[in-house]
Amino acid sequence: MTQFTASLPSLHQITTTTSFSSRNKDNQIHRTRPWPGFPSSTAFNSFGGANCMEQLLVHCANAIESDDVTLAQQILWVLNNIASPDGDSNQRLASAFNRALAARAAKSGSCKMLAVVADVAHNTNLAAIDIHSFSVIELANFVDLTPWHRFGFTAANSAILEVTEGFSVIHIVDLSSTHCMQIPTLIDAIATRHEVPPLIKLTVSASNKDIPPILNLSYDELGAKLVSFARSKNIILEFKVISSSYKDGFASLIEHLRLQQMVLAAEGNRREALVINCHMMLHYIPDETLESDPSISNSYIYESSSLRSMFLRAVRSLEPTIVVLVDEDADLTSNNLVTRLRSAFNYLWIPYDTVDTFLPKGSRQRQWYEADISWKIENVIAQEGLQRVERVEPKSRWEQRMRNVKFQGVGLSEEGVSEMKAMLDEHAAGWGSKKEDEHLVLTWKGHNVVFASIWMPA
């Protein structure tokens, strides 16, 4: 996938101006009829294909932000005709962005009348996103489809096994967007590695029930399954759910961990490793400075700063044995819609491109996979404020945050790197990995996708 930067002729040069009013339903155009003067998809290929689509999306975003309802309407319908939700990867990508822009337009100034467009476009690429609710088995199979999650799982498990060697108790705080799907593999590895397995304490935060992928059972039910699985491996697992939210930087979770440490210090009779495992979850913590949101008030916040940095500072105060930070390597934090759109478009082509290598067109799993990515796109483009939770930051910025709060990065062992390469060999040839500083980066066709970093108190 290339960075799309070439220019596009003005929309007024390639389309005819057509008026539209939500108050006059006779003016609505049937969705299967192309608008007069709009070029066909064949004609649009001569403008550059995916290049053209990105530029159209940018034009549309600018029209929405400037409250130009006529131009925004024109571009939405152009894209509706050339960006098929069942087409190639670039068309499906543009279709998802088209839907997101329509959603934003439908609640923006004069463009609110474009809500009618979404009604007219029912069952097309502007239709609502259908997010699947996974069973445990479905989700386990789902995350195994690509290295997108397995990359972080493999790196984290290898580092955790190495660092916790010799501890009689391993306390894992799992902040994961995939509902503990990493844990069974870790339990199995611990059972294999230790003659006398340690006690495993697993603490999770029940905060991401509204973020795909969605699990169709409660965390208590999930915990019971994990405890049963651990028992089958002759391991004792204690499972605890803390009601805590990313919206305030997991304040309740931090407080719970502090109280636990006080109890352990009073007992003084157990050697316990504290593992903070952050897998694609920290980018949901709001990235604005706290002084801009006076409603946020926590016991561990004592100065105006990014809530993300405050969370990391609180984690550092717990003196963890190891912190694993895995996330997507992109920047979706800009307050400027066009900047955010370009960044998202030039990153989120990757899942659409990769899906063609492992799932056939029309398969249920493919629909589930792309629905989750479409949800991400709509959140990035159509939402603002507290509703815009997809605020991915690049690896370099997270590294700086970690160093600022006195963590030092450590590299993965040779054994861990070998496990990573073996895992990638199970997937399509386009996947690869590279080392940047002490950390590893997952790549697709040479483009950065996900980073995995291991940290210890400096």
Side-chain angles (χ1 to χ4, degrees):
M1 182 71 172
T2 57
Q3 303 289 317
F4 303 124
T5 55
S7 61
L8 180 74
S10 164
L11 261 292
H12 294 288
Q13 294 175 342
I14 60 174
T15 66
T16 59
T17 303
T18 308
S19 62
F20 183 86
S21 171
S22 60
R23 295 187 296 272
N24 185 357
K25 295 187 182 294
D26 291 335
N27 287 339
Q28 295 181 18
I29 306 299
H30 193 275
R31 66 177 181 274
T32 59
R33 236 181 112 188
W35 282 31
F38 282 12
S40 65
S41 75
T42 302
F44 259 90
N45 286 335
S46 64
F47 287 108
N51 186 335
C52 168
M53 290 179 189
E54 186 194 18
Q55 295 303 316
L56 280 171
L57 292 167
V58 168
H59 278 304
C60 187
N62 280 319
I64 292 170
E65 293 303 276
S66 61
D67 219 16
D68 189 339
V69 63
T70 300
L71 184 57
Q73 172 196 322
Q74 289 175 348
I75 304 172
L76 288 171
W77 278 102
V78 169
L79 285 164
N80 194 49
N81 278 277
I82 67 171
S84 168
D86 299 317
D88 62 28
S89 60
N90 286 322
Q91 289 174 324
R92 301 196 309 276
L93 173 68
S95 173
F97 274 88
N98 190 32
R99 175 171 48 242
L101 285 170
R104 186 181 183 93
K107 53 187 178 182
S108 301
S110 299
C111 290
K112 288 181 180 179
M113 66 177 63
L114 292 180
V116 181
V117 173
D119 294 335
V120 174
H122 181 62
N123 290 330
T124 72
N125 59 318
L126 295 181
I129 301 171
D130 184 18
I131 300 297
H132 180 67
S133 183
F134 290 91
S135 69
V136 170
I137 299 300
E138 286 175 340
L139 184 56
N141 291 332
F142 183 77
V143 299
D144 281 345
L145 289 173
T146 75
W148 203 282
H149 292 290
R150 292 189 70 196
F151 178 80
F153 292 175
T154 304
N157 287 351
S158 176
I160 292 169
L161 285 171
E162 182 176 350
V163 171
T164 60
E165 187 78 39
F167 283 88
S168 59
V169 181
I170 302 175
H171 183 188
I172 302 167
V173 181
D174 193 43
L175 296 177
S176 170
S177 63
T178 55
H179 311 283
C180 300
M181 289 299 106
Q182 171 185 339
I183 301 303
T185 304
L186 178 58
I187 290 173
D188 190 57
I190 290 174
T192 302
R193 192 178 183 111
H194 296 267
E195 289 186 12
V196 180
L199 167 67
I200 300 178
K201 296 163 61 176
L202 179 61
T203 301
V204 301
S205 171
S207 66
N208 61 327
K209 296 179 181 179
D210 56 342
I211 298 172
I214 305 296
L215 192 63
N216 70 355
L217 78 167
S218 71
Y219 270 94
D220 288 335
E221 293 171 310
L222 176 63
K225 290 180 180 294
L226 288 170
V227 168
S228 177
F229 175 78
R231 189 182 301 117
S232 73
K233 301 293 180 177
N234 296 316
I235 287 180
I236 298 174
L237 173 68
E238 296 178 358
F239 184 85
K240 184 178 291 292
V241 182
I242 303 298
S243 180
S244 189
S245 174
Y246 58 84
K247 295 177 182 178
D248 66 357
F250 299 103
S252 298
L253 175 65
I254 293 293
E255 189 62 26
H256 169 80
L257 295 174
R258 280 186 170 166
L259 289 173
Q260 274 206 329
Q261 283 197 331
M262 291 173 62
V263 171
L264 286 175
E267 292 177 349
N269 58 359
R270 287 200 299 183
R271 189 161 179 245
E272 178 170 313
L274 177 59
V275 176
I276 311 293
N277 185 56
C278 307
H279 185 92
M280 299 191 189
M281 197 66 203
L282 297 195
H283 72 255
Y284 292 111
I285 298 175
D287 65 317
E288 294 92 350
T289 56
L290 297 181
E291 61 185 357
S292 66
D293 187 358
S295 65
I296 298 177
S297 178
N298 302 309
S299 60
Y300 72 89
I301 293 174
Y302 51 85
E303 65 182 17
S304 177
S305 178
S306 163
L307 189 56
R308 297 181 179 187
S309 293
M310 296 308 301
F311 167 78
L312 294 177
R313 187 175 287 111
V315 168
R316 177 64 180 81
S317 71
L318 298 172
E319 293 288 339
T321 309
I322 183 176
V323 175
V324 180
L325 175 54
V326 177
D327 220 312
E328 297 165 333
D329 196 5
D331 189 354
L332 306 181
T333 61
S334 175
N335 288 325
N336 180 275
L337 175 62
V338 170
T339 300
R340 205 161 68 234
L341 185 150
R342 285 191 181 278
S343 182
F345 192 85
N346 285 285
Y347 175 70
L348 291 174
W349 67 271
I350 295 172
Y352 283 94
D353 193 46
T354 61
V355 76
D356 292 336
T357 67
F358 63 89
L359 289 176
K361 183 177 179 180
S363 72
R364 287 190 307 161
Q365 282 189 317
R366 180 160 164 171
Q367 292 170 359
W368 300 342
Y369 186 87
E370 295 194 350
D372 283 6
I373 304 303
S374 293
W375 183 92
K376 182 189 290 284
I377 290 170
E378 183 161 319
N379 189 265
V380 169
I381 300 302
Q383 303 295 340
E384 293 294 350
L386 294 178
Q387 285 69 46
R388 180 161 65 86
V389 298
E390 282 289 347
R391 295 171 180 258
V392 174
E393 286 187 313
K395 168 179 170 286
S396 58
R397 201 175 300 165
W398 281 113
E399 287 177 336
Q400 189 59 53
R401 289 187 189 278
M402 295 298 284
R403 294 190 185 104
N404 287 347
V405 297
K406 309 304 180 185
F407 280 106
Q408 62 181 359
V410 295
L412 201 63
S413 67
E414 290 186 9
E415 181 181 353
V417 173
S418 296
E419 290 177 6
M420 186 75 69
K421 291 179 178 178
M423 181 274 295
L424 291 177
D425 287 342
E426 299 174 13
H427 297 278
W431 292 106
S433 66
K434 62 183 179 181
K435 187 175 181 181
E436 291 185 355
D437 300 323
E438 304 93 349
H439 312 302
L440 290 177
V441 178
L442 175 69
T443 62
W444 172 253
K445 297 180 178 178
H447 296 267
N448 287 14
V449 182
V450 170
F451 69 89
S453 57
I454 314 299
W455 303 88
M456 291 181 176

Coordinates of all heavy atoms in Angstrom, one line a residue, residues 282-350:
L282 N -4.2 0.5 26.3 CA -3.9 1.8 26.9 C -4.3 2.9 26.0 O -4.5 4.1 26.4 CB -2.4 1.9 27.2 CG -1.9 0.9 28.3 CD1 -0.5 1.4 28.8 CD2 -2.9 0.8 29.5
H283 N -4.4 2.7 24.6 CA -4.8 3.8 23.8 C -6.2 4.2 23.9 O -6.7 5.2 23.3 CB -4.5 3.5 22.3 CG -5.4 2.5 21.6 ND1 -5.0 1.2 21.4 CD2 -6.6 2.6 21.1 CE1 -6.0 0.5 20.8 NE2 -7.0 1.4 20.6
Y284 N -7.0 3.5 24.7 CA -8.4 3.9 25.0 C -8.4 4.9 26.2 O -9.4 5.6 26.4 CB -9.2 2.7 25.4 CG -9.5 1.8 24.2 CD1 -8.9 0.5 24.1 CD2 -10.2 2.3 23.1 CE1 -9.1 -0.3 23.0 CE2 -10.4 1.5 22.0 CZ -9.8 0.2 21.9 OH -10.0 -0.6 20.8
I285 N -7.3 5.0 27.0 CA -7.2 6.0 28.0 C -7.2 7.4 27.3 O -6.4 7.6 26.4 CB -6.0 5.8 28.9 CG1 -6.0 4.5 29.6 CG2 -5.8 7.0 29.9 CD1 -4.8 4.2 30.4
P286 N -8.0 8.3 27.7 CA -8.0 9.7 27.1 C -6.7 10.3 27.0 O -5.9 10.1 28.0 CB -9.0 10.5 27.9 CG -9.9 9.5 28.6 CD -9.0 8.3 28.8
D287 N -6.3 10.9 25.9 CA -5.0 11.5 25.7 C -4.9 13.0 26.0 O -3.8 13.5 26.0 CB -4.5 11.2 24.3 CG -5.3 11.9 23.2 OD1 -6.5 11.9 23.3 OD2 -4.7 12.5 22.3
E288 N -6.1 13.6 26.3 CA -6.0 15.1 26.6 C -5.4 15.3 27.9 O -5.4 14.4 28.8 CB -7.4 15.7 26.6 CG -8.1 15.7 25.2 CD -8.9 14.4 25.0 OE1 -8.8 13.5 25.8 OE2 -9.7 14.4 24.0
T289 N -4.9 16.5 28.2 CA -4.4 16.8 29.5 C -5.6 17.0 30.5 O -6.7 17.3 30.1 CB -3.6 18.2 29.4 OG1 -4.5 19.2 28.9 CG2 -2.4 18.1 28.5
L290 N -5.3 16.7 31.7 CA -6.3 16.6 32.7 C -6.9 18.0 33.0 O -8.1 18.1 33.4 CB -5.7 16.1 34.0 CG -5.3 14.6 33.9 CD1 -4.8 14.2 35.3 CD2 -6.4 13.7 33.5
E291 N -6.1 19.1 32.8 CA -6.6 20.4 33.1 C -7.8 20.8 32.2 O -8.6 21.7 32.5 CB -5.5 21.4 33.0 CG -4.9 21.5 31.6 CD -3.7 22.5 31.7 OE1 -3.4 23.1 32.7 OE2 -3.1 22.6 30.6
S292 N -7.9 20.1 31.0 CA -9.0 20.4 30.1 C -10.3 19.6 30.5 O -11.3 19.8 29.9 CB -8.6 20.0 28.7 OG -8.4 18.6 28.5
D293 N -10.2 18.7 31.4 CA -11.4 17.9 31.8 C -11.4 17.9 33.4 O -11.0 17.0 34.0 CB -11.3 16.5 31.3 CG -12.6 15.7 31.5 OD1 -13.5 16.3 32.2 OD2 -12.6 14.6 31.1
P294 N -12.0 18.9 34.0 CA -12.1 19.0 35.4 C -12.9 17.9 36.1 O -12.9 17.8 37.3 CB -12.7 20.4 35.7 CG -13.4 20.7 34.4 CD -12.7 20.1 33.3
S295 N -13.7 17.2 35.3 CA -14.5 16.1 35.9 C -13.7 14.9 36.3 O -14.2 14.1 37.1 CB -15.6 15.7 34.9 OG -15.0 15.1 33.8
I296 N -12.5 14.8 35.8 CA -11.6 13.7 36.2 C -10.9 14.0 37.5 O -10.1 15.0 37.5 CB -10.6 13.3 35.1 CG1 -11.4 12.9 33.8 CG2 -9.7 12.2 35.5 CD1 -10.5 12.7 32.6
S297 N -11.1 13.2 38.5 CA -10.4 13.4 39.8 C -10.1 12.1 40.4 O -11.1 11.4 40.8 CB -11.3 14.3 40.7 OG -10.6 14.5 41.9
N298 N -8.9 11.7 40.6 CA -8.5 10.5 41.2 C -7.4 10.7 42.3 O -6.7 11.7 42.3 CB -7.9 9.5 40.1 CG -8.9 9.3 39.0 OD1 -10.0 8.9 39.2 ND2 -8.4 9.5 37.8
S299 N -7.4 9.7 43.2 CA -6.5 9.9 44.3 C -5.0 9.9 43.9 O -4.2 10.4 44.5 CB -6.7 8.7 45.3 OG -6.5 7.5 44.7
Y300 N -4.7 9.2 42.7 CA -3.3 9.1 42.3 C -2.9 10.2 41.4 O -1.8 10.3 40.9 CB -3.0 7.7 41.8 CG -3.6 7.4 40.4 CD1 -2.9 7.8 39.2 CD2 -4.8 6.8 40.3 CE1 -3.4 7.5 38.0 CE2 -5.3 6.5 39.0 CZ -4.6 6.9 37.9 OH -5.1 6.6 36.7
I301 N -3.8 11.1 41.0 CA -3.5 12.2 40.1 C -3.2 13.5 40.9 O -4.0 13.9 41.7 CB -4.7 12.5 39.2 CG1 -4.9 11.3 38.2 CG2 -4.4 13.8 38.4 CD1 -6.1 11.5 37.4
Y302 N -2.0 14.0 40.8 CA -1.6 15.1 41.6 C -1.0 16.2 40.8 O -0.5 17.2 41.4 CB -0.5 14.6 42.6 CG 0.6 13.9 42.1 CD1 1.7 14.6 41.5 CD2 0.6 12.5 42.0 CE1 2.8 13.9 41.0 CE2 1.7 11.8 41.5 CZ 2.8 12.5 41.0 OH 3.8 11.8 40.5
E303 N -1.1 16.2 39.5 CA -0.6 17.3 38.7 C -1.3 17.3 37.4 O -1.8 16.2 36.9 CB 0.9 17.3 38.6 CG 1.4 16.1 37.8 CD 2.9 16.2 37.7 OE1 3.6 16.9 38.4 OE2 3.5 15.5 36.8
S304 N -1.3 18.4 36.7 CA -1.9 18.5 35.3 C -1.0 17.8 34.3 O 0.2 18.1 34.2 CB -2.1 19.9 34.9 OG -2.6 20.0 33.6
S305 N -1.5 16.7 33.7 CA -0.7 16.0 32.7 C -1.6 15.1 31.9 O -2.8 15.1 32.2 CB 0.3 15.1 33.5 OG 1.1 14.3 32.6
S306 N -1.0 14.4 30.9 CA -1.8 13.5 30.2 C -2.3 12.4 31.1 O -1.5 11.9 31.9 CB -1.0 12.9 29.0 OG -1.6 11.7 28.6
L307 N -3.5 12.0 31.0 CA -4.0 10.9 31.8 C -3.3 9.6 31.6 O -3.1 8.8 32.5 CB -5.5 10.7 31.6 CG -6.3 9.7 32.5 CD1 -6.1 10.2 34.0 CD2 -7.8 9.7 32.2
R308 N -2.8 9.4 30.3 CA -2.0 8.2 30.0 C -0.7 8.2 30.8 O -0.3 7.2 31.4 CB -1.7 8.2 28.5 CG -3.0 8.0 27.7 CD -2.7 8.0 26.2 NE -4.0 7.8 25.5 CZ -4.1 7.6 24.2 NH1 -3.1 7.5 23.5 NH2 -5.3 7.5 23.7
S309 N 0.0 9.4 30.8 CA 1.2 9.4 31.6 C 1.0 9.3 33.1 O 1.8 8.7 33.8 CB 1.9 10.8 31.3 OG 2.4 10.8 30.0
M310 N -0.2 9.8 33.6 CA -0.5 9.6 35.0 C -0.7 8.2 35.3 O -0.3 7.7 36.4 CB -1.7 10.5 35.3 CG -1.5 12.0 35.2 SD 0.0 12.6 36.0 CE -0.4 12.1 37.7
F311 N -1.4 7.4 34.4 CA -1.6 6.0 34.6 C -0.2 5.3 34.7 O 0.0 4.5 35.6 CB -2.4 5.4 33.5 CG -2.4 3.9 33.5 CD1 -3.2 3.2 34.4 CD2 -1.6 3.2 32.6 CE1 -3.2 1.8 34.4 CE2 -1.6 1.8 32.6 CZ -2.4 1.1 33.5
L312 N 0.7 5.6 33.8 CA 2.0 5.0 33.8 C 2.8 5.3 35.0 O 3.5 4.5 35.6 CB 2.8 5.3 32.5 CG 2.2 4.8 31.2 CD1 3.0 5.3 30.0 CD2 2.1 3.3 31.2
R313 N 2.6 6.6 35.5 CA 3.3 6.9 36.7 C 2.8 6.2 37.9 O 3.5 5.7 38.8 CB 3.2 8.5 36.9 CG 4.0 9.0 38.1 CD 3.9 10.5 38.2 NE 4.7 11.1 37.2 CZ 4.2 11.8 36.1 NH1 2.8 12.0 36.1 NH2 4.9 12.4 35.2
A314 N 1.5 6.0 37.9 CA 0.9 5.2 39.0 C 1.3 3.7 39.0 O 1.6 3.1 40.0 CB -0.6 5.3 38.9
V315 N 1.4 3.2 37.8 CA 1.9 1.8 37.6 C 3.4 1.7 38.1 O 3.8 0.8 38.8 CB 1.8 1.4 36.1 CG1 2.6 0.1 35.9 CG2 0.4 1.2 35.7
R316 N 4.2 2.7 37.8 CA 5.6 2.7 38.2 C 5.7 2.7 39.7 O 6.6 2.1 40.3 CB 6.3 3.9 37.6 CG 7.8 4.1 38.0 CD 8.6 2.9 37.5 NE 10.0 3.0 37.9 CZ 10.4 2.7 39.1 NH1 9.6 2.2 40.1 NH2 11.7 2.9 39.4
S317 N 4.8 3.4 40.4 CA 4.8 3.5 41.9 C 4.6 2.1 42.5 O 4.9 1.9 43.7 CB 3.8 4.5 42.4 OG 2.5 4.0 42.2
L318 N 4.0 1.2 41.7 CA 3.7 -0.1 42.2 C 4.9 -1.0 42.2 O 4.9 -2.2 42.7 CB 2.6 -0.8 41.4 CG 1.2 -0.1 41.5 CD1 0.2 -0.7 40.5 CD2 0.6 -0.1 42.9
E319 N 6.0 -0.6 41.6 CA 7.3 -1.3 41.5 C 7.0 -2.7 40.8 O 7.3 -3.7 41.4 CB 7.9 -1.5 42.8 CG 8.5 -0.2 43.4 CD 9.7 0.3 42.7 OE1 10.4 -0.5 42.0 OE2 9.9 1.5 42.8
P320 N 6.4 -2.7 39.7 CA 6.1 -4.0 39.0 C 7.4 -4.8 38.6 O 8.4 -4.1 38.4 CB 5.3 -3.6 37.8 CG 5.8 -2.2 37.5 CD 6.0 -1.6 38.8
T321 N 7.3 -6.1 38.6 CA 8.4 -6.9 38.1 C 8.7 -6.6 36.6 O 9.8 -6.5 36.2 CB 8.2 -8.4 38.4 OG1 7.8 -8.5 39.7 CG2 9.4 -9.2 38.0
I322 N 7.6 -6.5 35.9 CA 7.7 -6.3 34.4 C 6.4 -5.7 33.9 O 5.3 -5.9 34.5 CB 7.9 -7.7 33.7 CG1 8.1 -7.5 32.2 CG2 6.8 -8.6 33.9 CD1 8.4 -8.7 31.4
V323 N 6.5 -4.8 32.9 CA 5.4 -4.2 32.2 C 5.5 -4.6 30.8 O 6.6 -4.3 30.2 CB 5.3 -2.7 32.4 CG1 4.1 -2.1 31.6 CG2 5.1 -2.3 33.9
V324 N 4.5 -5.1 30.2 CA 4.4 -5.4 28.8 C 3.5 -4.5 28.1 O 2.3 -4.3 28.5 CB 4.0 -6.9 28.5 CG1 4.0 -7.1 27.0 CG2 4.9 -7.9 29.2
L325 N 4.0 -3.7 27.1 CA 3.1 -2.8 26.4 C 3.1 -3.1 24.9 O 4.1 -3.1 24.2 CB 3.7 -1.3 26.6 CG 3.0 -0.2 25.8 CD1 1.5 -0.2 26.1 CD2 3.6 1.1 26.2
V326 N 1.9 -3.6 24.4 CA 1.7 -3.9 23.0 C 0.6 -3.0 22.5 O -0.4 -2.9 23.1 CB 1.3 -5.4 22.9 CG1 1.1 -5.8 21.5 CG2 2.4 -6.3 23.5
D327 N 0.9 -2.4 21.3 CA -0.2 -1.6 20.7 C 0.1 -1.4 19.3 O 1.1 -1.8 18.7 CB -0.3 -0.3 21.4 CG -1.8 0.2 21.6 OD1 -2.5 0.1 20.6 OD2 -2.2 0.6 22.7
E328 N -0.9 -0.8 18.6 CA -0.8 -0.5 17.2 C 0.2 0.7 17.0 O 0.1 1.6 17.7 CB -2.2 -0.3 16.6 CG -3.1 -1.5 16.7 CD -4.5 -1.2 16.5 OE1 -5.0 -0.1 16.7 OE2 -5.3 -2.1 16.0
D329 N 1.0 0.6 15.9 CA 2.0 1.6 15.7 C 1.4 2.7 14.6 O 1.8 2.6 13.4 CB 3.3 1.0 15.2 CG 4.5 2.0 15.3 OD1 4.3 3.1 15.8 OD2 5.5 1.6 14.8
A330 N 0.6 3.6 15.1 CA 0.0 4.6 14.2 C -0.3 5.8 15.1 O -0.1 5.8 16.3 CB -1.2 4.1 13.6
D331 N -0.7 6.9 14.5 CA -1.1 8.1 15.2 C -2.5 8.5 14.8 O -2.7 9.1 13.7 CB -0.1 9.2 15.0 CG -0.3 10.4 15.9 OD1 -1.3 10.4 16.6 OD2 0.5 11.3 15.9
L332 N -3.5 8.3 15.7 CA -4.8 8.7 15.4 C -5.3 9.7 16.4 O -6.5 9.7 16.7 CB -5.7 7.4 15.4 CG -5.3 6.3 14.5 CD1 -6.3 5.1 14.6 CD2 -5.2 6.7 13.0
T333 N -4.5 10.5 16.9 CA -4.8 11.4 18.0 C -5.1 12.8 17.6 O -5.5 13.6 18.4 CB -3.7 11.4 19.1 OG1 -2.5 11.9 18.5 CG2 -3.5 10.0 19.7
S334 N -4.8 13.2 16.3 CA -5.0 14.6 15.9 C -6.4 15.1 16.1 O -7.4 14.4 15.9 CB -4.6 14.7 14.5 OG -4.8 16.0 14.0
N335 N -6.5 16.4 16.6 CA -7.8 17.0 16.7 C -8.3 17.5 15.3 O -9.5 17.9 15.2 CB -7.7 18.2 17.6 CG -7.5 17.7 19.1 OD1 -8.1 16.7 19.5 ND2 -6.8 18.5 19.9
N336 N -7.4 17.5 14.3 CA -7.8 17.9 13.0 C -8.4 16.7 12.2 O -7.7 15.7 12.1 CB -6.6 18.5 12.2 CG -7.0 18.9 10.8 OD1 -7.0 18.1 9.9 ND2 -7.3 20.2 10.7
L337 N -9.6 16.8 11.7 CA -10.3 15.6 11.1 C -9.5 15.1 9.9 O -9.3 13.9 9.7 CB -11.7 16.0 10.7 CG -12.5 14.9 9.9 CD1 -12.6 13.6 10.7 CD2 -13.9 15.4 9.5
V338 N -9.1 16.0 9.0 CA -8.4 15.6 7.8 C -7.1 14.9 8.1 O -6.8 13.9 7.5 CB -8.2 16.8 6.8 CG1 -7.3 16.4 5.7 CG2 -9.5 17.3 6.3
T339 N -6.3 15.5 9.0 CA -5.1 14.8 9.5 C -5.4 13.4 10.0 O -4.6 12.5 9.7 CB -4.4 15.7 10.5 OG1 -4.1 17.0 10.0 CG2 -3.1 15.0 11.0
R340 N -6.4 13.3 10.8 CA -6.7 12.0 11.4 C -7.2 11.0 10.3 O -6.9 9.8 10.3 CB -7.8 12.2 12.4 CG -7.9 11.2 13.5 CD -8.7 11.7 14.7 NE -10.1 11.9 14.5 CZ -10.7 13.0 14.7 NH1 -10.1 14.1 15.1 NH2 -12.0 13.1 14.5
L341 N -8.0 11.5 9.4 CA -8.5 10.7 8.3 C -7.3 10.1 7.4 O -7.2 8.9 7.1 CB -9.4 11.5 7.4 CG -10.1 10.7 6.3 CD1 -11.5 11.4 6.0 CD2 -9.3 10.7 5.0
R342 N -6.4 11.0 7.1 CA -5.2 10.6 6.3 C -4.4 9.5 7.0 O -4.0 8.5 6.4 CB -4.3 11.8 5.9 CG -4.9 12.7 4.8 CD -3.8 13.6 4.3 NE -4.3 14.6 3.3 CZ -4.4 14.3 2.0 NH1 -4.1 13.1 1.6 NH2 -4.8 15.2 1.2
S343 N -4.2 9.8 8.3 CA -3.4 8.8 9.1 C -4.1 7.5 9.2 O -3.5 6.4 9.0 CB -3.1 9.4 10.5 OG -2.3 8.5 11.2
A344 N -5.4 7.5 9.5 CA -6.2 6.3 9.6 C -6.2 5.5 8.2 O -6.1 4.3 8.2 CB -7.6 6.6 10.1
F345 N -6.4 6.3 7.1 CA -6.5 5.6 5.8 C -5.2 5.0 5.5 O -5.2 3.9 4.9 CB -6.9 6.7 4.8 CG -7.3 6.1 3.4 CD1 -8.6 5.8 3.2 CD2 -6.4 6.0 2.4 CE1 -9.0 5.2 2.0 CE2 -6.8 5.5 1.2 CZ -8.1 5.1 1.0
N346 N -4.1 5.6 5.8 CA -2.8 5.0 5.4 C -2.3 4.0 6.5 O -1.1 3.6 6.4 CB -1.8 6.2 5.2 CG -2.1 6.9 3.9 OD1 -1.7 6.3 2.8 ND2 -2.7 8.0 3.9
Y347 N -3.1 3.7 7.4 CA -2.8 2.6 8.4 C -3.8 1.5 8.3 O -3.4 0.3 8.2 CB -2.7 3.1 9.8 CG -2.5 2.1 10.8 CD1 -1.3 1.4 10.9 CD2 -3.5 1.7 11.7 CE1 -1.1 0.4 11.9 CE2 -3.3 0.7 12.7 CZ -2.1 0.1 12.7 OH -1.9 -1.0 13.7
L348 N -5.0 1.8 8.2 CA -6.1 0.8 8.3 C -6.4 0.1 6.9 O -7.2 -0.8 6.9 CB -7.4 1.4 8.9 CG -7.2 1.7 10.3 CD1 -8.5 2.5 10.8 CD2 -7.0 0.5 11.2
W349 N -5.6 0.4 5.9 CA -5.6 -0.4 4.7 C -5.1 -1.8 5.0 O -5.4 -2.8 4.3 CB -4.8 0.2 3.6 CG -3.3 0.3 3.8 CD1 -2.6 1.3 4.4 CD2 -2.4 -0.7 3.5 NE1 -1.3 1.0 4.5 CE2 -1.1 -0.2 3.9 CE3 -2.4 -1.9 2.8 CZ2 0.1 -1.0 3.7 CZ3 -1.2 -2.7 2.7 CH2 0.0 -2.2 3.1
I350 N -4.2 -1.9 6.0 CA -3.5 -3.1 6.3 C -4.4 -4.3 6.6 O -4.3 -5.4 6.0 CB -2.4 -2.9 7.4 CG1 -1.4 -2.0 6.9 CG2 -1.8 -4.2 7.8 CD1 -0.4 -1.5 8.0

